[in-house]
């Protein structure tokens, strides 16, 4: 009994239960009502923190941070190990350090609840709690950003709230629902049911209104378009590419063979396809740019296959490769054929994964490279501009496997392909908002007002056949809802998917850690959203409105 009454033991139990609820509310389980239950356990823990001091509150918050990282996002520890090449002890240390540094939302939330929210049974305090929860969610620094709002992404009406104030407005709804559940289940011996129900009714009414607003947004007509773009997303699943494979010729050969074979086989089945998406790291450590500064990473075969699909087969390819610009290595999203000749026809990745794509503090402490020898050497880009993509007007005659086999000898000679096949005229065009890998987790990075499609090329191979790919996809899908435009996600190891402007799947998703191809016909239908127009400003205004009665009282 003494253990059960121990403060830290009880806080650990609440932390574990909250983390497990979040886990099963997210993809791939999608039991979204557990998002409210997770907040209920957070509030139960916060109530028991009222009599204690600051240090105990911070200790309890640290338990929640660790539980979230270990139980909900346990793949983080495995990823740190694979990215850095470090030993077990170093991995555990960095994982725990990550949990404490990048889950400060728990510390802020518990402290504000303890010292600011004194009358939780009043509606002003309930709305203030939900607003504070959403604001700490949005403002706390996170390396792999997740939001309590992601727990409701599986519910179509509540998901639409992202169109008003991004995923963080959904977090506000989670807070209101969790508060209602907390008020309903408060333990009071001998009290009548009305004692629990009465204070919870206002919160339930607010949650009902939010649900009705979401449902109205979901069923509100999207701007109709007769334009349809047909796409292929190639999922090669060549596995993780650590630094040791940089000079592995067999690995590179297998990568390009899979790209060509899967793309060619898919075109034989879906001849109407307009655009082919090759995911991030489908051809790692190589560039299709034959510029002199890329001579160490340039692959003639990679360049040749791209030219063949663009010229001989008349398709547009959107792909990722490596490129040097001003002696700095970048991860690039590019289009072949390019509609222009300027440098603005590609996108350089802006958000790099620490340890995976660059080594933090390496400039100050060069010796760190000895301990994290697998860490990348990339530099971040600066521009976040949409790309213009042109695609077919007239396609070549029917593709046959015999021609494809006979033309394979040309792939190592891109200049010969350019001579043999003239560049095809393309009269159709669309604008795309590019994101590479986990950039799609940041609402601000994908925000767009004048594009037809959001594109996310990703590689989740580092995480194996686990749930990270599903969690990543579930969070990224909300970018389509926020901006009111369709989204294509092509992931090298899965999960690949295509979403419409409501965040619904247009076609079935691919699996995780398997070789697949996804074909979809995407209606270029859009809708105007508050988030696309005003960005996070709309969210902050709504949270200010929720906090205002509390501040006035």
């Amino acid at each position: 009994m003494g253990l059960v009454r121990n403060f830290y033991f009880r806080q650990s139990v609440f932390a574990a239960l909250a983390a497990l609820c979040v886990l099963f509310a997210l993809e791939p389980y999608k039991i979204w009502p557990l998002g409210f239950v997770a907040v209920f356990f957070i509030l139960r823990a916060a109530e028991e923190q009222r009599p204690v001091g600051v240090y105990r509150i911070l200790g309890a918050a640290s338990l929640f941070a660790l539980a979230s990282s270990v139980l909900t996002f346990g793949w983080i520890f495995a990823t740190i190990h694979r990215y850095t090449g470090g030993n077990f002890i170093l991995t555990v240390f960095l994982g725990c350090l990550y949990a404490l540094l990048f889950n400060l939302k728990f510390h802020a939330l518990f402290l504000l609840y303890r010292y600011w929210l004194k009358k939780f049974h009043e509606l002003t305090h309930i709305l203030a709690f939900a607003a504070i929860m959403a604001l700490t969610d949005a403002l706390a620094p996170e390396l792999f950003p997740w939001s309590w709002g992601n727990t409701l992404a599986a519910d179509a009406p509540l998901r639409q709230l992202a169109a008003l104030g991004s995923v963080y407005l959904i977090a506000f709804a989670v807070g209101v629902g969790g508060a209602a559940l907390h008020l309903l289940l408060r333990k009071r011996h001998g009290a009548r049911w009305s004692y629990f129900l009465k204070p919870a009714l206002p919160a339930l009414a607010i949650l009902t209104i939010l649900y009705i607003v979401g449902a109205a947004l979901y069923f509100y007509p999207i701007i109709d378009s007769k334009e349809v773009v047909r796409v292929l997303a190639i999922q090669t699943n060549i596995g993780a590419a650590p630094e040791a494979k940089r000079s592995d010729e067999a690995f590179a050969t297998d990568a390009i063979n899979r790209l060509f074979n899967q793309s060619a086989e898919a075109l034989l089945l879906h001849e109407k396809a307009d655009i082919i998406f090759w995911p991030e790291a489908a051809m790692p450590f190589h560039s299709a740019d034959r510029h002199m500064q890329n001579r160490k990473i340039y692959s003639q075969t990679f360049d040749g296959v791209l030219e063949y699909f663009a010229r001989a087969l008349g398709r547009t390819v959107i792909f990722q490769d490596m490129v040097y610009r001003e002696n700095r290595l970048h991860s690039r999203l590019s289009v072949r054929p390019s509609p222009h000749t300027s440098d603005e026809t590609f996108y350089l990745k802006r958000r790099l994964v620490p340890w995976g794509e660059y080594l933090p503090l390496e400039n100050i402490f060069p010796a760190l490279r000895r301990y994290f020898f697998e860490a990348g050497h990339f530099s971040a880009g600066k521009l976040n501009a949409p790309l213009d993509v042109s695609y077919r007007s007239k396609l070549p005659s029917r593709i046959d496997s015999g021609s494809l086999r006979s033309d394979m000898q040309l792939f190592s000679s891109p200049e010969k392909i350019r001579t043999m096949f003239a560049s095809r005229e393309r009269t159709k065009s669309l604008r795309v908002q590019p994101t590479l890998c986990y950039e799609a987790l940041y609402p601000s990075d994908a925000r767009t007002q004048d594009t037809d499609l959001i594109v996310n090329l990703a590689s989740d191979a580092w995480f194996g056949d686990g749930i990270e790919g599903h969690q990543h996809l579930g969070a990224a899908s909300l970018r389509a809802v926020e901006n009111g435009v369709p989204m294509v996600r092509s992931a090298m190891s899965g999960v690949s998917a295509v979403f419409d402007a409501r965040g619904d799947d247009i076609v079935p998703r691919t699996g995780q850690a398997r070789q697949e191809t996804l074909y979809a016909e995407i209606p270029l239908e859009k809708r105007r959203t508050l988030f696309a127009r005003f960005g996070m400003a709309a969210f902050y205004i709504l949270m200010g409105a929720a906090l205002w009665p509390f501040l006035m009282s």
Side-chain angles (χ1 to χ4, degrees):
M1 289 296 293
L3 181 62
V4 174
R5 293 176 180 175
N6 180 272
F7 173 79
Y8 286 114
F9 176 79
R10 292 176 64 84
Q11 293 289 312
S12 298
V13 172
F14 290 137
L17 291 172
L20 288 173
C21 285
V22 172
L23 171 65
F24 288 105
L26 298 174
E27 297 274 1
Y29 309 107
K30 298 190 289 189
I31 312 174
W32 59 269
L34 288 178
F36 301 124
V37 182
V39 177
F40 163 77
F41 285 120
I42 290 172
L43 282 168
R44 289 291 295 118
E47 281 294 308
E48 293 198 0
Q49 293 170 16
R50 285 204 183 276
V52 304
V54 173
Y55 292 115
R56 281 200 166 195
I57 293 174
L58 294 177
S62 298
L63 291 174
F64 273 80
L66 289 169
S68 173
S69 296
V70 173
L71 297 178
T72 309
F73 308 105
W75 49 264
I76 289 176
F77 285 80
T79 304
I80 289 174
H81 177 71
R82 290 170 180 165
Y83 266 1
T84 63
N87 58 37
F88 174 78
I89 296 176
L90 184 60
T91 296
V92 172
F93 171 76
L94 287 174
C96 293
L97 185 64
Y98 167 87
L100 297 176
L101 289 178
F102 294 104
N103 277 302
L104 293 175
K105 64 173 76 176
F106 290 106
H107 301 75
L109 180 63
F110 284 141
L111 286 173
L112 289 170
Y113 185 91
R114 166 66 175 82
Y115 293 103
W116 208 21
L117 298 170
K118 302 292 187 181
K119 303 175 182 179
F120 195 74
H121 59 281
E122 296 182 2
L123 179 60
T124 53
H125 285 245
I126 293 171
L127 294 179
F129 165 75
I132 291 169
M133 182 175 164
L135 286 167
T136 56
D137 200 3
L139 297 175
E142 293 186 76
L143 182 56
F144 293 100
W146 70 277
S147 168
W148 284 300
N150 292 136
T151 59
L152 302 187
D155 183 69
L158 289 174
R159 184 172 67 227
Q160 305 312 306
L161 295 176
L164 303 178
S166 86
V167 62
Y168 302 113
L169 183 59
I170 311 178
F172 174 79
V174 178
V176 173
L181 187 62
H182 171 64
L183 291 170
L184 283 171
L185 300 180
R186 286 186 306 168
K187 185 178 180 181
R188 292 290 187 277
H189 182 69
R192 295 181 179 181
W193 175 246
S194 59
Y195 179 88
F196 306 106
L197 184 60
K198 187 176 180 179
L201 281 176
L204 290 172
I206 295 295
L207 184 62
T208 302
I209 292 171
L210 290 173
Y211 199 90
I212 292 172
V213 170
L217 289 171
Y218 184 78
F219 292 106
Y220 190 81
I222 292 177
I223 300 173
D224 191 23
S225 173
K226 296 181 180 179
E227 209 49 52
V228 173
V229 60
R230 299 166 178 86
V231 303
L232 285 169
I234 309 301
Q235 185 172 304
T236 56
N237 191 38
I238 59 171
E243 192 73 17
K245 291 187 177 181
R246 177 178 289 274
S247 57
D248 189 331
E249 186 175 347
F251 182 73
T253 301
D254 181 43
I256 195 65
N257 284 343
R258 292 197 193 193
L259 277 174
F260 172 73
N261 290 333
Q262 280 187 251
S263 302
E265 290 171 4
L267 281 178
L268 290 172
L269 291 173
H270 307 286
E271 291 190 338
K272 293 183 178 180
D274 302 312
I275 303 175
I276 302 172
F277 292 89
W278 287 353
E280 183 187 41
M283 188 65 183
F285 311 125
H286 291 84
S287 175
D289 189 337
R290 63 185 184 279
H291 193 277
M292 187 65 180
Q293 62 184 344
N294 296 310
R295 61 188 181 278
K296 292 183 179 180
I297 56 175
Y298 172 67
S299 168
Q300 284 189 322
T301 306
F302 191 21
D303 190 10
V305 172
L306 281 165
E307 283 297 286
Y308 184 80
F309 276 100
R311 292 173 177 265
L313 302 182
R315 266 61 179 197
T316 297
V317 184
I318 297 179
F319 63 99
Q320 181 269 343
D321 66 348
M322 296 168 64
V323 65
Y324 278 99
R325 312 297 286 182
E326 299 177 354
N327 296 320
R328 292 179 179 270
L329 182 63
H330 295 275
S331 176
R332 177 180 70 166
L333 184 149
S334 191
V335 181
R336 183 75 63 92
S338 174
H340 308 293
T341 57
S342 70
D343 288 346
E344 300 304 319
T345 57
F346 59 79
Y347 166 77
L348 301 180
K349 188 173 184 178
R350 296 165 62 243
R351 289 191 188 267
L352 303 177
V353 181
W355 296 296
E357 293 175 318
Y358 78 100
L359 183 57
L361 304 178
E362 184 179 14
N363 292 337
I364 302 174
F365 306 107
L368 286 173
R369 179 65 62 174
R370 289 185 297 176
Y371 301 97
F372 306 107
F373 50 86
E374 289 286 2
H377 300 80
F378 287 96
S379 296
K382 297 180 180 179
L383 296 177
N384 183 21
L387 299 181
D388 293 315
V389 177
S390 60
Y391 60 103
R392 70 170 181 174
S393 55
K394 291 184 179 180
L395 291 178
S397 57
R398 185 178 178 85
I399 303 170
D400 66 271
S401 56
S403 298
L404 290 172
R405 282 194 297 270
S406 63
D407 288 341
M408 289 179 66
Q409 59 182 328
L410 300 172
F411 294 163
S412 59
S413 305
E415 292 301 332
K416 191 173 183 179
I417 294 174
R418 294 183 184 102
T419 302
M420 291 180 61
F421 302 99
S423 180
R424 295 178 179 274
E425 181 185 4
R426 288 165 167 81
T427 58
K428 295 184 178 180
S429 64
L430 71 159
R431 302 201 84 193
V432 304
Q433 177 65 35
T435 62
L436 279 172
C437 200
Y438 96 130
E439 289 179 325
L441 298 179
Y442 293 86
S444 58
D445 286 16
R447 182 189 165 208
T448 177
Q449 295 187 60
D450 59 351
T451 56
D452 305 295
L453 192 67
I454 299 173
V455 173
N456 179 225
L457 305 185
S459 172
D460 288 336
W462 290 96
F463 313 105
D465 191 10
I467 62 173
E468 193 280 339
H470 298 278
Q471 290 179 346
H472 191 171
L473 176 71
S477 68
L478 290 173
R479 306 295 84 80
V481 183
E482 289 165 350
N483 296 284
V485 297
M487 179 178 185
V488 175
R489 183 175 191 262
S490 178
M492 189 267 285
S493 59
V495 178
S496 301
V498 179
F499 302 102
D500 65 12
R502 296 185 178 94
D504 290 334
D505 290 271
I506 293 178
V507 294
R509 306 171 182 182
T510 64
Q512 174 79 0
R514 64 188 66 176
Q515 196 170 335
E516 288 191 53
T517 301
L518 181 147
Y519 173 74
E521 297 184 0
I522 307 174
L524 297 178
E525 298 174 335
K526 299 190 289 186
R527 64 177 179 181
R528 295 183 179 90
T529 69
L530 271 180
F531 177 80
R533 180 69 177 85
F534 299 105
M536 291 299 293
F539 164 75
Y540 293 127
I541 290 171
L542 290 169
M543 292 305 97
L547 281 169
W548 185 250
F550 167 74
L551 296 174
M552 291 298 294
S553 68

